[in-house]
Amino acid sequence: MPPPADPAAARLERELKHTRPLIGCRFDPSGRFLFVSAEDDGIYRFDLLTGGKVALAGHASWVRGMACVTPPVPVAGAGQAQDWERRQVTLGAAAGFAAATLPPPKLPPFTLVSGDYHGKLIWWPGDADTPKPLRVVEAHKGWVRSLAVSPDGKTVASCGNDNAVRLWKADDGSPLRTLEGHTSHVYNVAFHPDGRRLASCDLKGVVKDWDLKTGTADREFDAKVLWKYDPVFMADIGGARGMAFSADGSKLACCGITNVSNAFAGVGNPAVVVFDWKDGKPRVLKPKDVFQGTAWGVAFHPAGFILAAGGGSGGRAWFWTDDVTSTHMLTLPAGGRDMALSADGSRFAVAGANGTAYVYTFNPGPASAPAPPSAPPVKK
Amino acid sequence: MIPCSYACHSHEHAVTRRGFLAGAAGLGATAALGPLGFAAPEATAHLARSHKRVLVIFLWGGLSQLESWDPKPNTDTGGPFKAIPTSVPGIHISELLPHTARQAHRLAIVRSLNSFSDDHGIGERIMLTGRKPEPGIEYPELGAVAARLLAHTSDSALPGHIKILPRDGGGSENKADAAFLGPKYASVSLRDGQPPADIRRPPELSPESDAAREEFRRRLNARFARSRRSAATDAYTESFEQAERVVRQAAVFDVEREDPRVADRYGRHDFGRHLLLARRLLEAGVSYVKVSHSNYDTHHENFDFHIEQLGEFDRPFATLLDDLADRGLLESTLVIVMSEMGRTPRINDRYGRDHWSRAWSVVLAGCGIKGGAVVGKTNATGTAVTDREVNSGHLFHTYLRAVGLDPTKNFYPNERPVPIADPKTAAIQEILA
C-alpha cells in the first residue's frame, strides 16, 4: 500500500536512546533495523520490532558512511514487519497481559558496510544476532565521508578526504577502480538508479557525473551555493552533507549549508540543490522558516515530495512539494546530524546530536508503536 | 620644549617610508651587507653566536590542544583523530601534524597550562605579557621586552619588534604593546607580510634626486638643531635616519628574492610566505618577530577546520625549524608556538569546541630549550591539569631564561622598579637546556 502523500502526517513514533552523540543513521532494506553511528566510535543496531539494541564494535574512529548491500532477491521484510506488528496487536488485544511475544520474522540476510574517519571500511552481517566484522579494508587516507551501494548490489562506492572516490566489489571488498579528479575532500556519493553512473560532490560544491564503465567524469554540476571560503576565518566550509537521486533518476539532490557569513560559528542557512539530471539545471530549495544551521540529509519520498533534516540552532525537518520554499516543517527535539528514509517511505529517522535517534512515521494509527517487550541488554 | 625622560622616537606607527619606524632595536647589521640586503655569511655566523632572537608563532583564535599537542584518542572528548608517534619515543601528538612529529626531538611541549581567561583579547595579553591584567599598570609584551633587552647595538637598521599579520584578523595591532618601555620598542605591523608602505623609491624619483633631497634635508635640520636641539628633534632625526637604513635593507622584506626551492618548502601560501619572511627578518637581526596564523576559533565543525588550518601550519613549521638549524640560527633563536587559549574537551552539538583556558598546551624550541621534553600532564579526557600546572608567568620567565636574560631583574619606568617577569612565578626548569 503506498504511504500517505501528506508531509503533515509525519509524527514522532519513537525515540531510540544512546549515551553518546550520534553522527549517522541508516535503515536496513526492510526498514526493520535502524543503524546509528556515534561519537564513541560505535555503530548500534536498533530493532524497531523488538526494541532490541545491539552494538557493532570494530571501528576505532567515528563512522559517518553506512550503506546496506541489498539482497539479490526483493526484500519482503517490510511487509513481514508490518504483518508481525498487526498480529502482535491482535494477540495483545485478545490476551492482554498474558499475550506472548510472537517470534519476530526472519529476514533475508543483508550486509552493512561502514566507513570511518581512519579511512577503513568494515563489512558486517547486518542481520546477525551479534554482528562481527566480516572484513576490514584500508580504503582511504583520512576520513571516509560517505558510502553508497549500486542498485544491483554488486558495487560499493566510498569517498573521502583523500579527494578520491573508490569502487569496491560488494561481495568480497576487493578494489575495482579509483575515480580521481576532485581537488578537495569528497563529501558524498550516490549511484544513479540506472546503475551506470555515479555522482559525487566535494567540499567546493563540484558535482561530478562519472561513467562507471570508463571511470571518467563526463560532466560537472555546480553546487557552489553550498560552499563558501570564509575570508575572515580563512577556511572553507561546504560539501554535500546529504545526497540522493530520485527513484526515476531524473533528479539529483545535494544538501548542506549556504549563505555562510561566519563559518566558525556556523552562521548560515540550510539548503537543498536539486539538479535536473538531463540538463544539469539547478533549483535551490530553502526552508520557509529562518533557521541557522546545516541540512545533513535529503531524500526523495516515493509520494513525490522532498524531505531534508539538519541541525544548528536546534533541529528541523523540512518538506518541499512543488515550490522552492518548504511547505511543511517539523521542529526536532535536538539538532539533527543525519537523516535516513526507509525504503518503503513509511518512516524517516534523524540522528540526534543529543544521542537519540528520532524515528518519524507517515503511517496513520496510534502515536506510538505497540510497546515491545522490555529491551534486552546491549549485546556486544 | 619638554625633553623626554627616555630617548623617545617618533610616535607615528603609520607604515610609511619616513614615519614607520617607532624606534630602533635589533642588531646593527649594516656592516658587510650581502647582495640580498642582509648579513653576509661571515656576519651571519657572528650573529648566530652572539645575538639571541625570539620568534612567536601565534595560532590565533585558540588552537585545540586535543587536535595538536595533547591528543586523547578514543575518549569521550578525543574526537576522531589518531595520536601518532613522533621522533621521540613515547611522545605522541595529533595525526594532523605529521611533519611536526618528525621535529619532536627539537620541541619542548608544555601540556599543563592554565591561563585563566577564555577571552580572545585578554588571553592574548596574558600570553604575551606573562601576567593577568592589573589595574593601574600596563605591562609590555614579550616583543617589546625582547627588543629592549636583546638589542645588539643602538643604531640598528631594522625595528626590533615586528608583527606579521594575516590579510584579515590574526589578533590586535596593539600600538601600546611596549607600555612603559616606550614607542621605540613598540611593534611594527606588517599586514599580510607586506613591506612597509613607500619603502621603495617612486620610479619617477631618481637616486640622484633622492640623495640631493636628503642632503638638503640634513643641512636644514643641522642648522635648526644648532639653536633648537631637543630630545624631540633628536627623535625625529633618528627616525629619518633609521628609515633610510631600513630603505637600504628593503630587500629583506622581499621573499621573492628567496631561493624558489626554499620558498616551495615553506609553501606558496600566506602562512608559508609569512614564516619565510620571519626567518629573513630574524636572520637580518630583528630581535623579535611574531607571525600570526588565522584562524582556529572553531566553535563549529572544529575537526574539519583543524584539518585545513593545521594542514597549512604543519609543513612550514617543520621547514622553519630545519631551515633555522641549517643556517646555524636555531641555537640562538627561541621559537614559541602559542595561542590566546585552548579549546574545550567537550564537543558541542555542532561538532565544535569552545574557548578553554584551564588545561592546554604551548610548544617551545630552539635557544635554551631542551628538545624532546614534555612537562605537565592532563587527565585522561583533558578536562584538568593533573601534574605541574603552570601559567603564562612561568612561561614568560622561561622565555627570558632561554635567551640568557634574568627575568628577576627590574625595569625602572619613572624610576619605579617593575619586575620584568611576574615575581610570583619562576622558569620551568624542566625544559631549559
Side-chain angles (χ1 to χ4, degrees):
Chain A
M1 190 170 99
D6 185 7
R11 52 198 168 72
L12 182 61
E13 183 184 53
R14 66 193 80 201
E15 300 182 1
L16 306 172
K17 292 190 189 301
H18 184 57
T19 52
R20 299 280 297 130
L22 302 183
I23 300 169
C25 60
R26 282 295 175 270
F27 283 102
D28 80 300
S30 74
R32 172 175 164 185
F33 297 124
L34 182 70
F35 293 91
V36 301
S37 58
E39 285 185 12
D40 55 11
D41 305 342
I43 299 173
Y44 299 88
R45 186 187 71 194
F46 287 96
D47 187 329
L48 301 188
L49 283 188
T50 66
K53 181 183 178 186
V54 170
L56 282 68
H59 285 288
S61 181
W62 293 4
V63 170
R64 182 165 170 79
M66 290 184 289
C68 290
V69 179
T70 327
V73 295
V75 174
Q80 286 181 3
Q82 286 167 6
D83 212 38
W84 182 90
E85 283 181 294
R86 273 195 296 274
R87 287 190 287 125
Q88 187 66 50
V89 167
T90 304
L91 186 62
F97 289 114
T101 303
L102 295 170
K106 192 84 178 109
L107 295 175
F110 69 94
T111 304
L112 174 76
V113 185
S114 54
D116 69 25
Y117 285 8
H118 286 176
K120 289 187 172 46
L121 298 182
I122 297 184
W123 269 248
W124 311 83
D127 59 299
D129 286 344
T130 50
K132 299 274 186 257
L134 293 170
R135 74 180 60 85
V136 179
V137 172
E138 303 274 352
H140 288 268
K141 198 167 183 306
W143 295 8
V144 173
R145 287 198 181 255
S146 182
L147 296 176
V149 174
S150 59
D152 64 4
K154 291 183 177 171
T155 307
V156 174
S158 63
C159 66
N161 282 10
D162 52 4
N163 303 353
V165 177
R166 296 208 161 85
L167 304 176
W168 314 88
K169 277 186 80 180
D171 58 4
D172 65 8
S174 55
L176 285 172
R177 191 197 280 271
T178 298
L179 306 177
E180 287 171 321
H182 282 290
T183 56
S184 59
H185 296 174
V186 188
Y187 271 59
N188 233 304
V189 278
F191 281 93
H192 191 274
D194 69 10
R196 296 199 299 268
R197 309 199 70 87
L198 179 86
S200 59
C201 180
D202 67 23
L203 167 67
K204 297 188 177 174
V206 175
V207 178
K208 288 187 181 288
D209 167 20
W210 303 91
D211 181 324
L212 290 172
K213 229 179 189 159
T214 62
T216 54
D218 297 340
R219 325 180 264 181
E220 285 185 2
F221 296 166
D222 180 353
K224 289 186 176 57
V225 68
L226 298 178
W227 166 66
K228 172 84 181 282
Y229 176 74
D230 188 323
V232 172
F233 293 94
M234 304 180 82
D236 294 278
I237 182 170
R241 310 307 175 93
M243 200 161 166
F245 274 100
S246 58
D248 63 1
S250 65
K251 294 189 181 51
L252 170 69
C254 302
C255 71
I257 187 169
T258 192
N259 291 339
V260 173
S261 58
N262 182 331
F264 281 31
V267 179
N269 308 114
V272 176
V273 186
V274 180
F275 295 97
D276 182 295
W277 187 245
K278 203 169 170 190
D279 60 19
K281 234 175 170 178
R283 274 175 96 225
V284 181
L285 310 183
K286 292 186 179 172
K288 188 175 182 184
D289 62 319
V290 175
F291 182 78
Q292 182 175 298
T294 305
W296 278 99
V298 65
F300 288 87
H301 193 277
F305 57 83
I306 295 171
L307 67 150
S313 53
R316 296 282 192 277
W318 304 277
F319 303 81
W320 292 267
T321 47
D322 298 315
D323 203 53
V324 294
T325 305
S326 63
T327 49
H328 185 58
M329 182 268 291
L330 288 172
T331 297
L332 307 176
R337 288 173 163 186
D338 196 9
M339 188 204 73
L341 180 68
S342 63
D344 69 351
S346 64
R347 291 184 173 93
F348 70 93
V350 179
N354 62 349
T356 297
Y358 297 96
V359 180
Y360 289 79
T361 182
F362 294 103
N363 287 338
S368 51
S374 52
V378 173
K379 292 185 203 168
K380 293 193 191 232
Chain B
M1 198 171 293
I2 301 169
C4 296
S5 58
Y6 52 83
C8 69
H9 294 259
S10 170
H11 288 244
E12 177 55 64
H13 286 263
V15 184
T16 68
R17 184 168 183 237
R18 292 285 182 261
F20 94 101
L21 283 181
L27 182 64
T30 53
L33 288 176
L36 296 182
F38 54 94
E42 55 278 10
T44 302
H46 171 67
L47 288 176
R49 281 191 300 275
S50 61
H51 176 219
K52 303 293 193 291
R53 58 194 73 74
V54 179
L55 169 64
V56 168
I57 302 171
F58 202 98
L59 303 184
W60 178 255
L63 168 74
S64 169
Q65 66 283 1
L66 292 136
E67 273 66 65
S68 57
W69 313 117
D70 193 13
K72 309 282 183 187
N74 306 116
T75 64
D76 284 358
T77 57
F81 298 121
K82 287 184 255 196
I84 57 173
T86 68
S87 57
V88 178
I91 297 180
H92 289 70
I93 61 175
S94 171
E95 65 169 284
L96 298 183
L97 297 166
H99 295 279
T100 301
R102 293 195 278 276
Q103 300 284 341
H105 54 286
R106 292 185 165 135
L107 306 178
I109 306 175
V110 178
R111 285 183 169 155
S112 50
L113 175 57
N114 183 347
S115 57
F116 305 116
S117 174
D118 292 343
D119 179 85
H120 290 294
I122 297 172
E124 185 189 22
R125 264 172 76 195
I126 287 174
M127 290 303 294
L128 292 175
T129 62
R131 285 175 158 102
K132 286 195 247 185
E134 293 173 28
I137 185 167
E138 293 289 334
Y139 290 103
E141 288 185 8
L142 176 63
V145 172
R148 168 75 174 79
L149 297 179
L150 294 177
H152 190 73
T153 68
S154 61
D155 64 341
S156 49
L158 291 168
H161 181 184
I162 294 182
K163 291 180 177 173
I164 302 172
L165 297 164
R167 251 174 282 161
D168 282 298
S172 63
E173 291 185 50
N174 179 9
K175 301 304 182 194
D177 51 20
F180 53 73
L181 293 182
K184 178 174 179 174
Y185 304 108
S187 61
V188 171
S189 293
L190 306 180
R191 179 61 70 179
D192 193 24
Q194 294 300 311
D198 302 327
I199 199 169
R200 290 184 181 85
R201 187 186 313 107
E204 59 271 21
L205 182 67
S206 71
E208 296 76 21
S209 299
D210 191 22
R213 223 169 53 153
E214 275 301 295
E215 178 53 34
F216 183 53
R217 184 189 63 78
R218 282 199 198 94
R219 284 212 314 268
L220 289 177
N221 279 356
R223 196 166 85 174
F224 184 89
R226 274 200 289 273
S227 59
R228 280 165 283 187
R229 184 178 175 179
S230 68
T233 60
D234 281 352
Y236 281 118
T237 302
E238 174 63 20
S239 70
F240 274 100
E241 289 173 1
Q242 286 167 5
E244 192 180 5
R245 290 198 292 271
V246 171
V247 165
R248 286 211 303 272
Q249 290 213 75
V252 76
F253 296 97
D254 187 0
V255 296
E256 296 303 317
R257 291 170 171 261
E258 192 69 37
D259 183 334
R261 290 168 298 179
V262 174
D264 285 342
R265 281 171 50 210
Y266 276 88
R268 300 285 187 167
H269 47 70
D270 289 354
F271 181 65
R273 190 165 47 82
H274 296 171
L275 219 51
L276 178 54
L277 173 60
R279 193 226 73 211
R280 290 170 67 85
L281 291 170
L282 294 166
E283 194 169 24
V286 175
S287 293
Y288 176 94
V289 178
K290 172 173 169 266
V291 178
S292 290
H293 188 218
S294 188
N295 189 291
Y296 290 84
D297 192 21
T298 50
H299 296 277
H300 175 247
E301 302 199 354
N302 166 81
F303 307 102
D304 289 83
F305 292 130
H306 270 75
I307 291 174
E308 183 155 351
Q309 306 303 57
L310 287 177
E312 198 172 84
F313 164 84
D314 181 44
R315 192 167 169 220
F317 177 60
T319 297
L320 170 86
L321 294 177
D322 280 336
D323 200 14
L324 288 174
D326 289 346
R327 290 167 190 267
L329 291 172
L330 187 59
E331 62 193 26
S332 55
T333 304
L334 172 64
V335 179
I336 308 163
V337 182
M338 66 162 77
S339 287
E340 64 271 47
M341 62 207 152
R343 304 212 76 80
T344 54
R346 181 187 164 272
I347 301 163
N348 67 35
D349 61 3
R350 293 162 303 142
Y351 295 119
R353 295 193 195 268
D354 302 305
H355 299 177
W356 178 259
S357 57
R358 264 168 271 175
W360 59 291
S361 305
V362 161
V363 160
L364 295 83
C367 182
I369 296 300
K370 190 185 295 177
V374 174
V375 69
K377 284 194 182 122
T378 52
N379 62 12
T381 52
T383 56
V385 172
T386 55
D387 179 54
R388 191 64 170 106
E389 179 172 304
V390 298
N391 61 45
S392 65
H394 297 96
L395 287 169
F396 207 84
H397 275 264
T398 308
Y399 305 149
L400 298 181
R401 288 281 182 207
V403 294
L405 297 171
D406 184 352
T408 64
K409 291 196 165 160
N410 295 324
F411 289 122
Y412 291 90
N414 296 322
E415 298 177 13
R416 170 190 161 206
V418 176
I420 296 175
D422 185 349
K424 297 189 295 298
T425 55
I428 306 169
Q429 293 293 336
E430 299 95 308
I431 60 172
L432 289 173

